Amino acid sequence: MEIPISYEVLRVLWWGLLGVLLIGFAATDGFDFGVAGLLPFVAKTDAERRVAINTVGPTWEGNQVWFILGGGAIFAAWPMVYAVSFSGLYLAMFVLLAALILRPVGFKYRSKREDPRWRAMWDWALFTGGFVPALLFGVAVGNVLVGLPFRLDDDLRAFWDGSFFDLLNPFAILCGLLSVTMMGLHGAAWLSMKAEYGPVRDRARTFAPIFAVLSIVLFAGGGLVMAYGPYGFAQVGDVNPAGPSNPLRTETVAAAGAWLSNYAAHPWMILAPVLGFGGAFAALAGLKLNSESITFIGSKLSTFGIISTAGLSMFPFILPSSIQPNASLTVWNSSSSQLTLFIMLITTAIFLPIILAYTSWAFKVMWGRVTTEEVTGGGDYY
């Protein structure tokens, strides 16, 4: 079978699609996590908490589609990345999944009983299900930028030389806090737009500028570490973008500051960090102008810019190794076959527009502010 798209182009397309899926996840499920993380602080009474929960109630399950698609894309398009990361990070993945499981259970069971202690327990479960994943996703990205402690033998079997607590290094924690503030800003912007005029909306608007400023400061701090810290990797020698998927056939070295070299080679990439900062400033301007749409769009742009900055800085690396740089997994040396990538692309071209259309329709139908009268008056509310 003659494939009409070259292996090199298919690899780049799937790298871009993976970025789209991860950004889609952060932009949609991100405000779900933010609302859950803010729940104990923006809602003081049972009615207020039900208003906050029901701002995301109709859409949180659909938003998780992006998370599932992202995991599936890594598994199918970059199987070696999936195998190395999931086998080495299994304890962190267990903590992440446990926290994620608390969220649907909390949504479904919280309002099944009138007992205040029962509801308070599930409120904290929802908080954990929002805060912990937001923190761990950032910690994971931070560790990827630092490099993960894995090595490959001659048969490409992966061995992991780190532990769960090694993941909690200072730079990864900085990235984790940035992720929390980024999603906190997104959640606060969502609540100010979706909750009825009243205490929940007002409290969310007091938290939003704090998260926006912290996002700017932490994002700048991460950039300074990347520029002047010891982190970075670079491929040396000839690189064949259409070569075999074998990391040991490429030569990689650790190089301080190398994560910024892409910006010198491709100046247009500077748009990503500009959006990361500019979106947060736009959110602040929206709050000042009392424009909830500008605030929410600003938080989305900031999310897009911050995640894109990480991806573009690392290109073509996906999973660098801190202990055996030549084992680092890149766009060019760890993908599925050309035929697999092509078939997946055709499938994605059919189903991704359907998912986008359905998601847009669902948000349109369920648009409007959530009121106390609605959530306490019966009906299908959490």
Side-chain angles (χ1 to χ4, degrees):
M1 174 181 177
E2 185 175 349
I3 301 172
I5 305 176
S6 72
Y7 203 8
E8 177 183 355
V9 171
L10 281 170
R11 281 170 161 169
V12 174
L13 283 175
W14 268 105
W15 174 81
L17 281 171
L18 179 60
V20 169
L21 294 174
L22 294 178
I23 290 169
F25 166 63
T28 54
D29 230 12
F31 61 74
D32 295 351
F33 289 136
V35 169
L38 285 168
L39 187 61
F41 311 107
V42 298
K44 302 301 182 184
T45 66
D46 181 65
E48 289 174 2
R49 291 184 183 123
R50 293 189 68 187
V51 168
I53 291 170
N54 281 283
T55 61
V56 297
T59 54
W60 71 270
E61 288 171 298
N63 293 342
Q64 291 190 128
V65 168
W66 297 98
F67 178 59
I68 296 167
L69 289 176
I74 294 174
F75 173 77
W78 315 100
M80 204 174 297
V81 173
Y82 183 91
V84 171
S85 59
F86 276 68
S87 61
L89 300 172
Y90 65 91
L91 185 54
M93 294 290 184
F94 174 80
V95 174
L96 173 64
L97 290 175
L100 286 174
I101 288 170
L102 284 176
R103 207 162 57 122
V105 179
F107 277 127
K108 299 297 182 183
Y109 281 86
R110 181 195 178 279
S111 297
K112 296 295 184 185
R113 295 176 60 183
E114 296 288 343
D115 185 351
R117 288 181 299 178
W118 170 269
R119 295 191 173 188
M121 177 184 72
W122 288 115
D123 288 340
W124 283 107
L126 287 170
F127 166 78
T128 304
F131 176 80
V132 172
L135 180 68
L136 288 181
F137 283 128
V139 168
V141 173
N143 277 286
V144 170
L145 286 163
V146 169
L148 290 168
F150 71 90
R151 54 189 170 82
L152 301 175
D153 67 7
D154 292 339
D155 295 322
L156 297 184
R157 291 178 299 181
F159 297 88
W160 194 267
D161 289 351
S163 70
F164 174 77
F165 294 102
D166 291 336
L167 301 176
L168 303 177
N169 58 75
F171 179 71
I173 292 174
L174 184 151
C175 292
L177 293 176
L178 173 58
S179 175
V180 169
T181 57
M182 181 181 76
M183 294 188 187
L185 170 61
H186 213 30
W190 178 257
L191 280 172
S192 70
M193 190 167 56
K194 283 287 291 180
E196 65 181 345
Y197 291 99
V200 174
R201 174 183 175 272
D202 294 342
R203 293 186 193 115
R205 289 176 61 83
T206 62
F207 281 103
I210 297 172
F211 285 129
V213 172
L214 286 175
S215 292
I216 292 168
V217 171
L218 292 169
F219 190 37
L224 289 173
V225 173
M226 287 295 98
Y228 300 107
Y231 308 122
F233 295 85
Q235 286 190 301
V236 295
D238 294 332
V239 177
N240 182 6
S245 289
N246 184 342
L248 300 181
R249 291 193 175 190
T250 54
E251 187 176 355
T252 300
V253 296
W259 288 149
L260 300 186
S261 59
N262 277 344
Y263 297 99
H266 310 285
W268 64 267
M269 288 185 178
I270 200 70
L271 286 174
V274 168
L275 274 181
F277 287 115
F281 279 115
L284 285 171
L287 290 166
K288 187 75 174 175
L289 298 170
N290 205 26
S291 170
E292 283 138 355
S293 57
I294 292 177
T295 304
F296 189 66
I297 291 171
S299 71
K300 269 190 181 299
L301 291 176
S302 182
T303 301
F304 177 82
I306 291 171
I307 296 176
S308 298
T309 298
L312 290 172
S313 299
M314 291 183 62
F315 185 86
F317 288 89
I318 302 177
L319 207 64
S321 168
S322 60
I323 59 174
Q324 186 189 4
N326 279 345
S328 297
L329 309 181
T330 73
V331 172
W332 314 128
N333 68 19
S334 59
S335 74
S336 293
S337 69
Q338 186 178 4
L339 178 60
T340 300
L341 295 181
F342 179 68
I343 292 173
M344 288 173 58
L345 185 66
I346 298 299
T347 306
T348 303
I350 295 171
F351 288 102
L352 188 58
I354 296 174
I355 294 171
L356 287 171
Y358 174 77
T359 302
S360 302
W361 175 81
F363 274 90
K364 181 181 178 183
V365 169
M366 299 171 191
W367 197 248
R369 292 187 183 275
V370 178
T371 66
T372 304
E373 184 180 6
E374 286 175 337
V375 300
T376 58
D380 189 19
Y381 291 98
Y382 294 120

